[in-house]
Amino acid sequence: MKARKNDGNKSSVVNFGLHGWVTIFYCLFMFWLYAGMVNSGSNVTAPAIAEKFGILSGTVLTMNTVAGVVGVIFFIIVGQVNRAIGARVTSGVCMILAGIAYWGVGNAVNLAMYTICMCVVVGGVMSAGYISGGDLVTQWFPKKKGIVMGYTTMGHNLASVAFVPLITYLVGTMGIGNGVLPISACCIVLGVLGLLIVRNTPQERGLNPDNVSDEVYQNEYYHGPQDNTGGWTTKKLLCCKETWLVAITTGMFQICSLGVVSQMVLRNMELGFTREQATFTLSLVACIGLVGSFFVGYMDERLGTKKSMVFFGIWYALSLLANATENTILVYVSIFMIGMSIGGSANFTTSLVTSVYGRQGFSKVNSVIFPIQGAVSALSFVVNGVVSNITGGNLRYTYIIFAGVSIVSSLIVLVIDEHRFNRDWQQGQSSARS
């Protein structure tokens, strides 16, 4: 392979090469569909389904909790499949399955059918985005995963900007049954494109990780003996404290974001906004979040994942508490703060795992960690559903609970050894000292 003059790329936040950007945008669109179909879109689909069946919206959200729990089984299975056949094929197939199931969600004839289809949607699209997508990010950008996750998690914010108005229009004009069809088609098309154009590693395109030069790659990245497990077994991972600390703290941040986004329109209406104003505010939060995703990724890149998570957790808690005061000025301040926070939790889901364990054997490591993350994050729907039913739909107390969760998560991350098993990071430190 010919050496490439690319050394300056080590500090670049944009120079990832054409194929690198293809990988980034593929992951971004997977996150867009995940956040739309599972999180943001629930603001529209859950009330529509509840009205269709003549039940409480909180009951539908509780079924989403069931889907989240069943999704953990998907994550375990897909994690093993991803190791066997690679992230490209796994993500493509999962997106196609999720697209088909989303049509079933909108056309369900009873709550049981809705729940089954939602299980496939959650399991399929989350597995594609987080298990396979996380594997792609780690293999392509092991040392620049922070800023790259900043870009890919913009998909979460774009879901609120574009997905919610789109699904609102589609359901409003075509009904829930036909309204989900265009989204289902988009999901299937993205899966097919992934199968055709995405590659598992940069080496398959004749490139180095992080798009660095051959010289930098030789000196600052690990090249020792390894297998595709990185030396890890499931038992060793389950007995490793970092596995549980990483999974729990990132899952707890996801509890906050999943819970806040999925009910933000209803919360805004609770504060006195009309439905149109509440939907617009969600889109405004998401626009702010585009900047926030980049900022969190840039902070991760420059300060490190651990320090960034502590700052993020405190900021997020303050934003939710400001909203819970229901003071007009503080509510508007909270809208800005929540917007800046909304993509950050998804950033850390992959970034912290990569920081601690590195590129080697990531698919094995994540096949154990992500199901635990998923089980923890699924509790967001439990909190939303239970509090909604107990308080007659008052979500103020939910925000207070989420603020507490954010603080506890920040405290947990303090005890994590950030680079304990990261061989690329260790090699870079060794090279810097010599």
Side-chain angles (χ1 to χ4, degrees), residues 217-395:
Y217 182 61
Q218 289 299 320
N219 291 332
E220 300 183 16
Y221 289 73
Y222 178 78
H223 298 285
Q226 59 181 293
D227 56 34
N228 63 5
T229 67
W232 290 104
T233 64
T234 299
K235 181 179 179 180
K236 285 173 67 175
L237 285 165
L238 291 175
C239 292
C240 177
K241 72 173 185 178
E242 272 74 22
T243 296
W244 294 96
L245 292 174
V246 168
I248 290 171
T249 189
T250 51
M252 288 174 73
F253 275 144
Q254 283 289 77
I255 285 178
C256 300
S257 286
L258 288 172
V260 169
V261 172
S262 64
Q263 291 294 283
M264 185 169 284
V265 169
L266 296 180
R267 171 59 180 162
N268 288 337
M269 292 173 65
E270 190 177 88
L271 291 168
F273 292 77
T274 65
R275 175 166 287 277
E276 291 73 21
Q277 290 171 332
T279 303
F280 171 78
T281 301
L282 179 59
S283 297
L284 177 62
V285 164
C287 288
I288 296 169
L290 292 173
V291 179
S293 286
F294 178 83
F295 176 76
V296 171
Y298 186 81
M299 182 170 61
D300 187 325
E301 185 75 20
R302 296 298 186 239
L303 300 181
T305 306
K306 186 172 178 176
K307 291 179 181 178
S308 300
M309 288 183 73
V310 173
F311 176 84
F312 171 84
I314 296 171
W315 174 279
Y316 211 169
L318 291 174
S319 70
L320 296 175
L321 291 174
N323 188 281
T325 66
E326 300 192 348
N327 174 279
T328 302
I329 294 175
L330 290 178
V331 165
Y332 283 110
V333 170
S334 75
I335 289 172
F336 169 77
M337 293 179 71
I338 291 171
M340 289 293 289
S341 306
I342 219 73
S345 60
N347 181 310
F348 299 129
T349 299
T350 294
S351 184
L352 185 61
V353 180
T354 308
S355 289
V356 175
Y357 291 93
R359 171 172 53 110
Q360 290 74 28
F362 179 87
S363 60
K364 173 62 180 178
V365 172
N366 208 38
S367 72
V368 174
I369 288 181
F370 188 72
I372 302 172
Q373 289 175 335
V376 174
S377 63
L379 294 174
S380 65
F381 293 112
V382 174
V383 175
N384 270 338
V386 171
V387 174
S388 176
N389 286 341
I390 290 177
T391 64
N394 190 328
L395 295 170

Side-chain angles (χ1 to χ4, degrees), residues 73-225:
I73 300 174
F74 271 83
F75 305 152
I76 295 171
I77 296 171
V78 173
Q80 301 308 313
V81 172
N82 188 75
R83 287 182 54 217
I85 66 177
R88 175 180 67 87
V89 175
T90 304
S91 62
V93 171
C94 282
M95 292 304 292
I96 292 170
L97 289 175
I100 295 171
Y102 197 62
W103 179 86
V105 164
N107 290 275
V109 296
N110 52 47
L111 194 59
M113 180 178 173
Y114 167 85
T115 304
I116 292 171
C117 290
M118 199 64 193
C119 287
V120 178
V121 170
V122 172
V125 75
M126 285 189 72
S127 294
Y130 284 102
I131 294 179
S132 299
D135 196 8
L136 290 170
V137 168
T138 299
Q139 297 305 320
W140 278 79
F141 316 103
K143 291 190 177 183
K144 302 190 78 64
K145 41 70 182 175
I147 191 64
V148 168
M149 287 301 296
Y151 290 127
T152 63
T153 55
M154 287 181 181
H156 288 257
N157 303 298
L158 288 170
S160 298
V161 173
F163 191 101
V164 174
L166 176 61
I167 195 68
T168 299
Y169 171 77
L170 291 172
V171 171
T173 57
M174 302 167 63
I176 185 67
N178 293 325
V180 298
L181 184 57
I183 305 299
S184 298
C186 287
C187 196
I188 294 169
V189 168
L190 183 64
V192 172
L193 289 175
L195 292 171
L196 295 175
I197 65 177
V198 172
R199 294 295 179 269
N200 295 323
T201 67
Q203 288 87 344
E204 293 179 32
R205 292 291 191 187
L207 302 169
N208 293 322
D210 298 313
N211 199 34
V212 297
S213 68
D214 293 338
E215 181 182 358
V216 170
Y217 182 61
Q218 289 299 320
N219 291 332
E220 300 183 16
Y221 289 73
Y222 178 78
H223 298 285

